[in-house]
């Protein structure tokens, strides 16, 4: 059930009926600021005042009257300058919740009617370099978005557009011949590649001879020289191994790994096409798109002085060229309707330009940059993951630390009698809690803002943190365990009724889930789901504090068990949609 959508349509029809109009008008439904004024507010009378030449309060009166007889609505009243406050009928809400309880596949959330094929381009680290925290954000946010859209019914393709081609490989080839250590490469490939890359780029900076050798090797690689291709493949393969380990830990998967290298053969053709269509022109040997010369350039780019370069003077292609080829491929071969690029805000100019070029090329696809802010350290500066000796902390070791810290918190909780985890389950619970905490700390933020990385707030069983929500789920599950009951059996048989105020508060919150998931999907904002789940956990705790469940008499007992089951499932589903797991006992 999509509550807001349903009420919007009720409101729109009530307006037409009440004011004798020939078509429904927008009801402009909004949740009220304060529950004491009702649950939702209809603002649709206000904009009609001018057209109908009547004061809004006078229009609101018959609208409220028209809404009054409807099942879903207990009462509707005019308020303020002319809006209508509506109070939902608890009995009607309870029936909708019972429907949701029965619907174990979707928890009452309908699938989309028009399915789109959506590419989610996320994670996309550059191999031969340590994945940094920005790539961790992209991985976590992109995975959440892909999960949400898949659940809503879209045809989602997860693509890891890794940086596996480009000038760094010339340097790596000469560098590895010079300083490479195969054993180190096998043991920790990215570390070794990074070490050699740094040495090579330093030497190339001071020694023209060496720099030229690197360029020659790169040219050979790009011309498919077998030996260099072998070397390059080897670098890519070993790096894939360490990336895969991080993805497995994060429970993130991809449908495609079409990195930059996948498109290199298409690049000369892209440049020819842009030149042929007069979109790009040569400038001092390079091929560029000058926005100031482009008539149909978007407004925001007209004043952009630096051009979008698609081929350098030395003939090399760029990130921009590859991205153009990538969109073409996604359109022509994958028949995608949309592509979402989950990439750091700092690349927003790149994507603005890329999308403008695609419009100039008449590629009909919805392209969207899903940007995000920076992770900050406790000092408020961009987080540098370095250990005490100044070495880089790898993402793998960051995740290890998360698990270790979670284990400590769990052991404390057990010692203090707050948590109940069997000794043989501690490892698994620490994994789910530790990884979940890192993900939740990121996902609960509006992705566009920067946020501070803080272990203590992150791994907390109290505030707005992953462990708190996982604990709320386990608490629901424990009610069933204590009663010797199966959640699924209750879901089949229980009828929900909402009598006590705490039941009504919880029930109305539960009914918003569908709207929240739709909104999170439409705006690529996983934090909306986190917010909902956090509020839900609080509403559940309020309910649980006031309403006995197992000790209540029938039919209240079955109803409360039903509410508990639906709350548990919604927490589990909501966390699952953002890639966070739960455990039944803790
Ligand atoms: N490899 C790039 C980076 O690390 C991100 C790639 C994002 N995807 C894309 N199609 N440009 O900055």
């Amino acid at each position: 059930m999509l509550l807001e959508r349903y009420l919007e349509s009720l409101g729109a029809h009530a307006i037409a009926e009440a004011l004798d109009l020939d078509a429904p008008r927008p009801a402009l439904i909004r949740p009220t600021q304060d529950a004491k004024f009702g649950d939702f507010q209809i603002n649709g009378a206000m904009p009609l005042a001018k057209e109908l030449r009547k004061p809004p309060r006078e229009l609101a009166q018959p609208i409220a009257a028209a809404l009054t007889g409807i099942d879903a609505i207990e009462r509707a009243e005019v308020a303020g300058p002319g809006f209508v406050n509506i109070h939902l009928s608890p009995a009607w809400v309870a029936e909708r919740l019972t429907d949701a309880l029965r619907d174990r596949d979707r928890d009452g959330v309908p699938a989309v009617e028009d399915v789109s094929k959506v590419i989610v381009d996320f994670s996309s680290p550059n191999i031969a370099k340590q994945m940094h925290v920005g790539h961790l954000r992209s991985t976590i946010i992109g995975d959440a978005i892909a999960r949400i859209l898949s659940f809503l019914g879209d045809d989602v393709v997860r693509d890891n557009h890794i940086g596996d081609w480009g000038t760094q490989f010339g340097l790596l080839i000469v560098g590895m011949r010079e300083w490479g250590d195969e054993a180190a490469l096998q043991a920790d490939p990215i570390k070794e590649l990074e070490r050699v890359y740094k040495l090579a780029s330093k030497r190339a900076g001071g020694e023209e001879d060496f720099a030229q050798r690197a360029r020659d090797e790169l040219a050979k690689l790009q011309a498919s020289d077998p030996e260099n291709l072998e070397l390059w493949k080897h670098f890519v393969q070993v790096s894939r191994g360490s990336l895969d380990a991080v993805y497995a830990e994060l429970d993130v998967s991809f449908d495609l790994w079409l990195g930059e290298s996948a498109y290199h053969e298409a690049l000369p053709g892209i440049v020819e096409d842009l030149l042929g269509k007069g979109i790009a022109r040569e400038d001092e040997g390079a091929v560029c798109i000058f926005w100031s010369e482009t008539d149909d350039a978007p407004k925001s780019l007209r004043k952009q002085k630096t051009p979008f370069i698609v081929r350098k003077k030395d003939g090399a292609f760029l990130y921009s060229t590859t991205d153009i080829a990538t969109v073409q491929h996604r359109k022509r071969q994958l028949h995608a309707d949309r592509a979402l690029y989950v990439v750091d805000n700092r690349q927003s100019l790149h994507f603005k330009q890329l999308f403008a070029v695609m419009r100039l090329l008449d590629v009909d696809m919805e392209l969207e940059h899903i940007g995000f802010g920076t992770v900050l350290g406790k000092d408020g500066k961009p987080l540098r993951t370095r250990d005490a000796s100044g070495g880089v902390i790898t993402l793998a070791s960051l995740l290890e630390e998360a698990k270790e810290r979670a284990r400590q918190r769990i052991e404390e909780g057990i010692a203090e009698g707050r948590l109940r985890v069997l000794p043989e389950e501690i490892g698994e619970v620490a994994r789910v809690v530790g990884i979940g905490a890192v993900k939740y700390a990121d996902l609960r933020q509006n992705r566009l803002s920067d946020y501070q990385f803080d272990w203590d707030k992150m791994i907390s069983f109290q505030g707005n943190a992953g462990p708190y929500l996982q604990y709320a789920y386990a608490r629901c599950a424990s009610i069933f365990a204590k009663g010797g009951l199966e959640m699924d059996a209750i879901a089949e048989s229980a009828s929900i009724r909402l009598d006590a105020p705490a039941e009504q508060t919880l029930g109305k919150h539960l009914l918003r889930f569908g709207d929240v998931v739709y909104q999170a999907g439409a705006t690529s904002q996983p934090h909306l789901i986190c917010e909902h789940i956090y509020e839900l956990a609080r509403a559940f705790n309020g309910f649980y504090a006031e309403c006995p469940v197992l000790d209540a008499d029938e039919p209240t007992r079955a109803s409360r068990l039903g509410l508990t089951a639906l709350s548990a499932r919604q927490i589990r589903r909501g966390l699952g949609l953002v890639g966070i797991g739960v455990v039944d006992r803790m």
Side-chain angles (χ1 to χ4, degrees), residues 36 69 94 127-128 147-148 212 292 306 321 339 342 357 391 426 432 457 467 474 491 558:
K36 70 171 183 268
I127 65 158
R147 286 173 190 263
I148 295 166
Q212 188 54 48
S292 54
T306 47
T321 334
V342 188
V357 172
I426 292 180
V432 174
K457 277 198 194 134

Side-chain angles (χ1 to χ4, degrees), residues 413-466:
I414 296 172
E416 289 164 14
R418 283 182 287 111
L419 297 179
R420 244 166 289 149
V421 182
L422 299 175
E424 65 270 26
E425 288 176 355
I426 292 180
E428 173 60 7
V429 176
R431 190 187 68 79
V432 174
V433 169
I435 303 294
V438 171
K439 289 189 178 187
Y440 188 82
D442 194 308
L443 291 167
R444 64 172 275 238
Q445 311 289 336
N446 180 325
R447 60 178 159 78
L448 292 172
S449 26
D450 299 343
Y451 78 91
Q452 242 169 29
F453 195 90
D454 179 338
W455 282 120
D456 295 325
K457 277 198 194 134
M458 195 183 294
I459 307 188
S460 161
F461 288 87
Q462 268 124 34
N464 187 356

